Amino acid sequence: MDLSLSELKRRKIGICLSGGLSSLALASWLHGGGYDVEAFVLDIGQCPEKDFREFTGAVRAAGIPVHEVDARRAMADAALDVVAFQAHYDGGYWNTTGLSRAVIVEHAVPGLRRAGVGVLAHGCVGGGNDQRRFERYGAHFAPDLAVFAPWRDPEVLAALPDREAMARHIAAAGLVCMPGNTAEHSVDGNLAGTSHEDAGLEDLGTTAAGLERLMGVSPRQAPDRVETVSVTVEHGRPVALDGRRLPPEELLELANTVGGRNGLGLTDVVEHRINGTKCRGVYEAPGMELLSHAVRAAYETVTDRGAADTARFLARQLAVCVYEGTAHGRTARAARAGLAEIAGPADATVRLDLYKGGVVGRALPEIGGGADVLRQRRFTGGGGHNWDSAPLSGPASG
């Protein structure tokens, strides 16, 4: 049963603030109504540090207590796992928004408990995917906390019926959204990618070509020259770019920079939503797209047909779990275990040529366990193995 506002009056509320319009408007509205609300702002790489500080400072200035949580490494780890397992959703896009919901809830819960919070609130509007994702991850990571879905409450609906009303409310409170969010346009970003939504994009006749990218440039604006990079892959997971072995968050940031300046990573899809309807989504994920090409090239050197078919099936199951908010459930755990087993031999250094939104590349023949395996199995004699008799395993090629 949904919590009523009268029940909330007797409990401390912790709200996850993303920097978007709806969650900020809700936090301000609850605070102005006398509710005991505290904001939990997770840094998942959604904006530069300057903008993050400006946002949290404005929330504090409005009188709302703020708890900051650095979850950038957790976000990057989750993203690189999805790339390693090639778990993209409808239309081949990397579901960075759905992935972030698991990270947000998991890493907000310890602070919620320390603050004595009894209710987890979010700003997800009714009918969307995120409402279900927060409920499912709340039940998984904090079954002792109630989850408040605001846009199921008639009083909240009356006060904040649309984005225009939300924008007026936060402006009156002296609050600002993180960059990219306006009354007309909504973005949801993190280290792994950015999603775009607005009324214009809901019209399938509207092209996404003119969309202002936040993580790079369009192919037309990309340099008129090929940029060559190398990606080191170990057990299917990217670990280094151009020989620089970096922590996950720094590796993903560098991949975003390289992929973004070459026009990679914009995907325009009509997807299957959790509630059975369809919607259009436009997504940026230049770093994940760049690294994914390297992972696929590594897999192709070590994967036989049976393993590839199995990996494609498991990757699809994992992608659906990420999208639907069950990334920590039994199906997802089983899919990860199977994919990790198949990924074991996928070690290689992959050279990629990037040019105006396109990527071509191949595992270097002289470097990497995966490439060595391929070279050995292509020929007989000289200590190699017969191609037909040598057991192969490895994830799908894409």
Side-chain angles (χ1 to χ4, degrees):
M1 181 180 295
D2 293 336
L3 286 172
S4 66
L5 286 174
S6 61
E7 291 174 301
L8 286 184
K9 280 284 189 182
R10 302 188 295 270
R11 308 174 75 168
K12 180 181 283 191
I13 307 163
I15 183 168
C16 293
L17 288 189
S18 64
L21 184 61
S22 58
S23 62
L24 187 58
L26 177 68
S28 176
W29 186 82
L30 289 171
H31 175 71
Y35 294 88
D36 186 2
V37 59
E38 299 189 8
F40 290 78
V41 187
L42 280 88
D43 183 358
I44 52 176
Q46 62 267 58
C47 65
E49 184 177 357
K50 174 181 176 294
D51 296 320
F52 188 86
R53 295 295 165 216
E54 181 180 351
F55 174 78
T56 55
V59 176
R60 286 191 176 94
I64 304 172
V66 175
H67 304 264
E68 296 181 27
V69 181
D70 185 354
R72 295 172 72 256
R73 176 159 296 184
M75 187 70 238
D77 268 327
L80 293 179
D81 280 346
V82 166
V83 167
F85 296 145
Q86 297 288 282
H88 44 68
Y89 193 61
D90 284 355
Y93 86 92
W94 303 102
N95 181 26
T96 58
T97 302
L99 187 64
S100 73
R101 297 336 187 206
V103 174
I104 289 170
V105 176
E106 179 180 7
H107 291 272
V109 163
L112 292 167
R113 290 197 170 120
R114 286 194 297 270
V117 165
V119 177
L120 168 62
H122 57 75
C124 307
V125 296
N129 294 317
D130 281 335
Q131 193 163 270
R132 291 168 174 81
R133 290 167 180 156
F134 269 96
E135 288 171 348
R136 290 170 180 174
Y137 289 130
H140 178 83
F141 291 112
D144 52 313
L145 299 181
V147 177
F148 177 57
W151 272 269
R152 289 179 185 160
D153 188 282
E155 195 172 337
V156 175
L157 279 168
L160 304 170
D162 51 39
R163 291 185 65 83
E164 288 76 13
M166 296 176 204
R168 289 193 299 270
H169 184 85
I170 68 165
L175 295 168
V176 293
C177 292
M178 288 187 186
N181 286 282
T182 67
E184 296 78 27
H185 190 83
S186 173
V187 301
D188 200 309
N190 55 66
L191 273 177
T194 300
S195 65
H196 295 263
E197 295 180 0
D198 62 39
L201 292 175
E202 290 176 7
D203 179 356
L204 296 183
T206 302
T207 177
L211 183 77
E212 182 180 352
R213 300 196 191 193
L214 299 180
M215 301 183 73
V217 301
S218 72
R220 290 181 180 178
Q221 297 169 315
D224 292 319
R225 57 176 174 77
V226 174
E227 180 173 357
T228 300
V229 299
S230 66
V231 179
T232 305
V233 177
E234 294 179 354
H235 308 306
R237 184 182 174 93
V239 296
L241 186 60
D242 283 338
R244 297 176 59 189
R245 186 176 290 264
L246 298 167
E249 66 276 22
E250 294 180 28
L251 178 64
L252 194 51
E253 284 182 337
L254 180 58
N256 282 331
T257 299
V258 174
R261 70 182 175 224
N262 285 284
L264 271 64
L266 187 74
T267 309
D268 181 355
V269 299
V270 176
E271 67 202 57
H272 294 87
R273 301 174 80 194
I274 296 173
N275 64 7
T277 63
K278 285 181 177 283
C279 69
R280 184 200 192 173
V282 179
Y283 304 91
E284 296 181 70
M288 293 184 76
E289 190 65 19
L290 167 64
L291 297 173
S292 173
H293 280 273
V295 170
R296 286 201 297 271
Y299 288 167
E300 286 170 356
T301 66
V302 297
T303 308
D304 70 355
R305 183 173 298 172
D309 289 344
T310 301
R312 276 190 286 269
F313 172 78
L314 293 176
R316 171 62 180 167
Q317 300 309 303
L318 180 58
V320 171
C321 289
V322 170
Y323 188 85
E324 296 190 346
T326 58
H328 293 272
R330 182 177 298 173
T331 299
R333 294 196 303 272
R336 283 194 187 91
L339 289 164
E341 173 66 25
I342 296 172
D347 298 334
T349 295
V350 179
R351 183 177 58 224
L352 300 174
D353 290 334
L354 317 178
Y355 181 70
K356 289 188 172 295
V359 187
V360 293
R362 185 56 51 209
L364 301 181
E366 73 279 6
I367 301 176
D372 291 341
V373 169
L374 177 62
R375 186 171 60 252
Q376 290 171 356
R377 291 174 179 169
R378 185 169 289 167
F379 306 101
T380 56
H385 301 286
N386 183 281
W387 177 271
D388 293 325
S389 64
L392 293 175
S393 62
S397 59

